[in-house]
Amino acid sequence: MDRTEKRDFVASLATVFAETSFVLVGQNKGMTVAHVSELRRRMKAAGATYKVAKNRLAVLALNGTDFQGIKPLLKGPTALAWSRDPVAVAKTAVDFAKTNDKFVILGGSLGTQMLDPVGIKALAELPSLEALRAGLLGMIQTPASRIASVLQAPGGQVARVLAAYAKKDESTEAEAA
């Protein structure tokens, strides 16, 4: 990389850090290209980004962001993962780390809050943003459907009573004739 490429890389990474809510730091020492590609594919499917970056450039990009606390983690062969949905990144990384012992989660940052590997695993156990949205939508729809059934019930009862009176009147007219 020449200076302009480095400068552009730092600027783009700083933009990412300004727009995201969560950054995970992992150590990818000894991972094959196939393993890294598989992890990238999984991260992309989860709506996250996984990037191997030079530590010195990543530290420059972290300056002035909420994620400055992860600077001490950037030693050796590290990679960064980020997304707007912190749970998606954490779940994907934890699941991948279970099947690949060469990928080690070093920690991360949820805004200004630093997380160690145990904190990342705890975050991974939370329901995803999509699951939370679906649950919330279900909770919102349930009262509406209950209200509709309650409002329809008296009308249905009145209709059944009127139908019973109509049948009763028909039967008494048939008996009189």
Side-chain angles (χ1 to χ4, degrees), residues 70-82:
I70 65 171
K71 286 180 183 180
L73 301 176
L74 298 174
K75 290 184 175 42
T78 58
L80 304 171
W82 62 84

Side-chain angles (χ1 to χ4, degrees), residues 24-27 31 35 38-39 42-43 50 89-106 117 120-121 124:
L24 178 131
V25 180
Q27 188 177 50
M31 286 178 57
H35 289 132
E38 173 66 16
L39 180 55
R42 287 186 188 183
M43 287 286 184
Y50 176 82
V89 176
K91 277 184 194 262
T92 305
V94 168
D95 288 345
F96 187 80
K98 286 178 186 175
T99 59
N100 189 326
D101 59 342
K102 296 193 189 278
F103 179 69
V104 178
I105 298 170
L106 299 176
I120 301 289
K121 288 177 184 171

Side-chain angles (χ1 to χ4, degrees), residues 3 14 36 46 54 84 101 107 112 116 124 126 131 140 146 161:
R3 282 186 173 201
V36 172
K54 287 191 172 266
R84 291 186 188 267
D101 59 342
T112 57
D116 60 355
L126 293 174
I140 290 170
R146 285 185 183 163
V161 168

